[in-house]
Amino acid sequence: MSNAKSPAIRSEGRRNKSGSLTESSNTLAYSRTRAPAAVQCAWCDHRFDSTDDHLTGRVRCARCGVATTSPWPSDEQLSAAYADWYRPKSGRFSGLGDKVLRRTRSALADRLHRILPAGPVLDVGAGDGTLVEAFVRRGREAVGLEPHASGPHIRNAEVEEVDGNWSAVIFWHSLEHLRQPARALSHAATLLSPGGTLVVAVPNATSLQARAFGDRWFALDLPRHLVHLSPPALLPKIEALGLRVERVSYMRGGQVVFGWVHGFVGKLPGHPDLYDAIRRSEARQATHSPVFRLYALAAAVVALPVALAATAVEVAARSGGTIYIEARREPAPEKVPVM
Ligand SMILES: [Zn+2]
């Protein structure tokens, strides 16, 4: 994928190595944790060597352009990264945040429920089950897979362990969390009934915001995000699975405006982490003084108009912070009666 390695991305790599801009970022902190370096691309299995781009906390594959988190975390390190603070039972965000999250999942379920053929829906990486419940409320059978949660419709299993026929398999911001995302996607394609739809939303690692914020980009989220995907890697892979890509959106995947606001706020003195500041106190990674939180929130309000403008530009350029894809398995051709 030649366009996955544009000059802009290369210069980002050099800037990372020069230092000061990345000081004290989560990415830099993670890159110093004790774990073996990634030895191969999590997307295409290419063995890393000196031809790949060794960035802070990740290696960009010379063959496919996808970056893999490096060091490669152990299961214990990942469990610690998903510890209770990430998704406490009381909800992740203060005030309106969790309500907004529920409403957007509800809108997604509405849309998919309308366009999908009859049959159950599989949500891979279901989180707290908000999307699954939205389908169930609409009278559609739905199962969520989630190793870090439990619930009436949630199973602790990998997608590779699932069989049967499904009207949709959904990876809503979950593919990037998997150790073998390409294998998961290939198996998901085999689960689709004729006319069934694969739905994928992931951060877009070649978006304008990813380039603008480099190591501080909100959606790097090391080490939980193990692979950093881009449209030139994802779209041909999905088509190679025999699916027809019917919709690509650089807005529908969510978190696009937030990515910009978060990035602008993080450039201020003290590098406030807006994502941490809006979480409920029990869901925060670091403890900040109320004044520092207020500073982050006030900065976010000021940054919002600029973030909206930047979002409009990157969505128009089809280079938005997330990519959302719907791809359909062709219905079986109707049998023509033999004359
Ligand atoms: Zn690769």
Side-chain angles (χ1 to χ4, degrees), residues 255-277:
Q255 305 181 359
V256 182
V257 178
F258 187 79
W260 281 106
V261 178
H262 184 275
F264 287 136
V265 171
K267 280 194 181 286
L268 293 173
H271 304 298
D273 184 337
L274 183 62
Y275 187 61
D276 225 28

Side-chain angles (χ1 to χ4, degrees), residues 104-105 107-116 131 135 168-173 197-204 230-231 234-235 238 245-256 318-327:
T104 52
R105 295 296 184 281
L108 176 67
D110 258 341
R111 179 191 146 65
L112 292 174
H113 185 57
R114 259 198 328 270
I115 63 166
L116 293 178
L131 182 60
F135 279 111
V169 180
I170 302 167
F171 292 87
W172 184 264
H173 290 278
T197 297
L198 175 75
V199 178
V200 177
V202 291
N204 176 4
S230 61
L234 201 48
L235 291 166
I238 289 173
V245 174
E246 297 205 324
R247 180 179 287 257
V248 177
S249 164
Y250 291 89
M251 187 71 212
R252 200 180 282 277
Q255 305 181 359
V256 182
R318 301 184 66 72
S319 187
T322 62
I323 177 171
Y324 171 93
I325 300 163
E326 287 172 9

